[in-house]
């Protein structure tokens, strides 16, 4: 399991899903231009995920609801929203493919935009079609987070360039 000091102190973990309980723990952070409200809106626009989240094929909901399904990387995940505090934080639990994953997003306004931290605590009972302990899984998550941070960094459609 992982040292809880690896986690951002402002991330809220549900019981059983802290880094100390995880079989795999991943963290990414970055600075994006624009206010937390814009990043939060993009993150919670679940119907648009297939347009920008790598390997997200389909989402069952048109808007963010307490539960919905996501088809990602050929697997079905049932998603339960555990925390929803606009525009500061959001967290959800995904269950599927022999894996349980809690993903927490923390958005903090800064002078230059928004600092975003995303952390994942992953639990798997045994071998599954998604090998969460493999290097390929970690690389896939890194690709996912980097593409999400890049998307969040882009100006809102129709926005005027900063001078």
């Amino acid at each position: 399991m992982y040292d809880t000091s690896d986690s951002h102190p402002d991330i809220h973990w549900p019981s059983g899903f802290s880094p100390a309980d995880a079989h795999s723990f991943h963290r990414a952070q970055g600075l994006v231009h624009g206010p937390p409200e814009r990043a939060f809106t993009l993150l919670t626009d679940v119907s648009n995920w297939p347009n920008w989240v790598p390997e997200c094929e389909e989402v069952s909901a048109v808007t963010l609801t307490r539960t919905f399904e996501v088809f990602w990387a050929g697997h079905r995940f049932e998603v339960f929203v555990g925390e929803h505090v606009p525009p500061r934080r959001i967290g959800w639990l995904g269950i599927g493919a022999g894996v349980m994953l809690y993903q927490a997003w923390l958005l903090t306004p800064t002078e230059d935009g928004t600092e975003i931290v995303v952390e994942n605590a992953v639990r798997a009972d045994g071998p599954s079609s998604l090998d969460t302990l493999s290097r390929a899984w970690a690389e896939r998550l890194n690709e996912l987070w980097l593409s999400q941070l890049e998307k969040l960094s882009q100006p809102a459609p129709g926005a005027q360039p900063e001078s």
Side-chain angles (χ1 to χ4, degrees), residues 61-85:
V62 175
T63 61
L64 183 71
T65 58
R66 278 302 216 186
T67 63
F68 55 96
E69 292 179 345
V70 173
F71 293 87
W72 180 73
H75 302 282
R76 177 190 165 275
F77 288 86
E78 191 164 358
V79 177
F80 302 88
V81 176
E83 185 172 34
H84 184 258
V85 183

Side-chain angles (χ1 to χ4, degrees), residues 120-136:
N120 295 276
V122 182
R123 298 185 66 182
D125 291 331
S128 71
S129 54
L130 292 174
D131 182 3
T132 61
L133 299 179
S134 75
R135 184 172 188 82

